[in-house]
Amino acid sequence: MKIFYDNQVFSQKYGGVSKYFAELIKAIGRFDVEIVFSKTLSENAYLPDKFKTSVGFFSNIKFKGKRSLLNFVNNQFSKGILRKGGYDIFHPTYYSPYFLSKNIRKPIVITVFDMIHELFPAYFSSFDKTVEYKNKVLRRADKIIAISESTKKDLCRLTNIRPEKISVIYLAGSLSEIFSKKITVPNRYLLFVGQRKGYKNFTFFIQSISPLLKEKKISILCAGGGNFSVDERKIISDLGIQDYVFQREVNSGELKYCYQKATAFVFPSLYEGFGIPVLEAFSCGCPVILSNSSSFPEVAGDAGIYFEPQNKESIFEAISTILNENFDKEYFINKGYAISNSFTWDKTARQTLEIYKKLT
């Protein structure tokens, strides 16, 4: 069986969606499957170099329109594969409808990661076409994969797509095989990973616990997500916690070290389709404190310590709990290991392969 994955998502350097496809491609390639992959200009951190035409396309150089340029060029490569055929299943890596005019006669599988654009439109530009494009490709898809029951429920409710067209296949963590790389970190800290804007709820979170940081002498380390913006720096300064909140960019090995040394990993997001960092933290023996919304209880189960993400008192109490000297850290670490071990990319690949087989 030949599976064609296009390259549209690999114009991003980091991100959960490209991590999912990179891990899926690696895992499913270990079965009796041939991966069809077009030429790709990319500096993605997860995609194996053998799939890249240019390793480090304008690496470390940022300019307006860079991602649009990558998308345009990579789409031309993918269109070439679509014209030639030579594959059995087409699994686009995101929602661009560039292929809809190609009269594709082979089955198409689409993975839906979340319904964030539909649920939180105020956080996105009025020019953002994600919702429009997603609806177009979902109508054409022969099968849809949702990455959690929460995502499937939202997808059915917001699009009226039949539930039987959608299969839930969970993701997994990606740090178990990565070597930890030591870096300088604060003495005691809560770890926040990735983007901080909008529904990620970072500002509300630090406002909720700023007195606790100073009282307990504990820091917040933000791994990734870019430098603090002018607005973020002002908020941090106004709260008087500039000596307690830090940001640094990290690679996978450094991120693993950050999890391993953290007092806890915090995930205050208002909504996530799955939340790979939850499993990353669990696999590193790091307790997890997170929102009780969307897919989080489904993924973290009874290993998570939950709070209401829009309730300052709830957040304060949850963080206070793990900082209490009577907190049973080992209990939650062991629970986390058990949950992390139950999610594997091998399982993701096997279940995805079953869907492919049913369509051919």
Side-chain angles (χ1 to χ4, degrees):
M1 183 186 299
K2 296 181 179 181
I3 313 300
F4 172 38
Y5 300 96
D6 71 7
N7 47 25
Q8 54 181 303
V9 77
F10 294 109
S11 60
Q12 65 175 201
K13 186 170 184 178
Y14 299 103
V17 179
S18 61
K19 180 179 287 187
Y20 156 72
F21 274 107
E23 294 290 352
L24 176 62
I25 289 169
K26 287 187 287 185
I28 212 164
R30 293 192 283 267
F31 298 99
D32 187 21
V33 171
E34 180 179 337
I35 305 299
V36 179
F37 201 86
S38 61
K39 294 180 180 179
T40 302
L41 299 180
S42 176
E43 57 180 354
N44 184 264
Y46 317 116
L47 184 66
D49 287 347
K50 68 179 181 179
F51 291 119
K52 301 177 185 178
T53 298
S54 172
V55 179
F57 179 73
F58 288 117
S59 183
N60 300 319
I61 299 176
K62 295 182 179 181
F63 58 87
K64 188 176 181 180
K66 177 180 179 179
R67 187 163 179 178
S68 295
L69 174 61
L70 283 170
N71 284 333
F72 175 79
V73 175
N74 285 335
N75 281 350
Q76 306 315 304
F77 292 144
S78 294
K79 287 177 181 178
I81 299 289
L82 293 172
R83 282 193 299 268
K84 294 176 182 177
Y87 59 89
D88 300 302
I89 298 285
F90 177 33
H91 195 156
T93 58
Y94 208 57
Y95 309 127
S96 171
Y98 74 93
F99 57 86
L100 293 182
S101 62
K102 297 303 174 184
N103 193 27
I104 299 172
R105 303 192 180 199
K106 301 293 177 68
I108 295 177
V109 177
I110 294 287
T111 300
V112 175
F113 305 93
D114 55 57
M115 301 299 286
I116 291 171
H117 288 78
E118 291 84 353
L119 292 168
F120 299 96
Y123 291 131
F124 300 95
S125 165
S126 58
F127 298 104
D128 191 298
K129 293 186 176 294
T130 300
V131 173
E132 176 188 343
Y133 287 173
K134 184 193 291 186
N135 284 329
K136 287 181 178 180
V137 299
L138 290 180
R139 301 301 170 188
R140 171 57 184 85
D142 296 280
K143 190 68 176 179
I144 298 169
I145 296 171
I147 62 174
S148 64
E149 292 290 349
S150 171
T151 297
K152 178 177 179 177
K153 180 180 178 181
D154 289 338
L155 178 59
C156 291
R157 177 172 60 87
L158 295 169
T159 67
N160 293 319
I161 290 175
R162 304 185 319 276
E164 57 268 24
K165 188 178 179 178
I166 307 166
S167 292
V168 173
I169 299 179
Y170 292 126
L171 312 187
S174 303
L175 293 181
S176 59
E177 298 179 2
I178 301 293
F179 287 105
S180 178
K181 183 178 179 181
K182 185 175 181 179
I183 57 173
T184 300
V185 294
N187 183 38
R188 295 175 69 224
Y189 63 93
L190 304 172
L191 180 64
F192 185 103
V193 175
Q195 297 297 319
R196 301 180 298 272
K197 294 180 181 178
Y199 69 92
K200 295 296 186 178
N201 207 29
F202 174 73
T203 298
F204 188 83
F205 176 75
I206 61 172
Q207 290 171 336
S208 301
I209 66 164
S210 59
L212 205 54
L213 300 181
K214 290 178 278 191
E215 177 189 340
K216 299 293 186 178
K217 305 299 182 192
I218 189 167
S219 300
I220 295 177
L221 175 61
C222 297
N227 295 330
F228 291 129
S229 67
V230 173
D231 289 342
E232 285 176 323
R233 289 198 298 270
K234 184 178 187 307
I235 291 169
I236 291 168
S237 177
D238 289 347
L239 291 170
I241 55 174
Q242 58 269 33
D243 294 332
Y244 296 93
V245 184
F246 308 94
Q247 187 279 333
R248 67 176 299 161
E249 296 302 309
V250 294
N251 59 34
S252 295
E254 293 166 340
L255 177 60
K256 185 170 186 175
Y257 184 81
C258 290
Y259 281 122
Q260 290 171 332
K261 296 301 178 181
T263 299
F265 164 63
V266 294
F267 210 161
S269 179
L270 301 179
Y271 182 98
E272 295 291 332
F274 185 82
I276 289 177
V278 173
L279 299 182
E280 291 179 339
F282 284 158
S283 72
C284 294
C286 180
V288 174
I289 313 170
L290 71 172
S291 302
N292 61 3
S293 61
S294 60
S295 64
F296 285 136
E298 190 178 342
V299 177
D302 60 359
I305 300 161
Y306 296 97
F307 55 75
E308 295 279 351
Q310 294 177 299
N311 183 315
K312 288 186 177 181
E313 289 183 3
S314 178
I315 295 173
F316 187 96
E317 289 175 6
I319 301 300
S320 296
T321 296
I322 65 101
L323 297 180
N324 189 299
E325 61 181 14
N326 295 320
F327 175 66
D328 191 351
K329 184 175 182 179
E330 288 304 312
Y331 171 85
F332 285 96
I333 288 176
N334 290 330
K335 284 278 190 180
Y337 279 137
I339 287 180
S340 175
N341 291 336
S342 70
F343 293 88
T344 68
W345 288 115
D346 180 79
K347 186 183 295 185
T348 302
R350 287 179 185 275
Q351 293 175 349
T352 304
L353 185 56
E354 285 303 309
I355 287 178
Y356 294 159
K357 288 178 178 178
K358 289 177 182 178
L359 291 173
T360 55

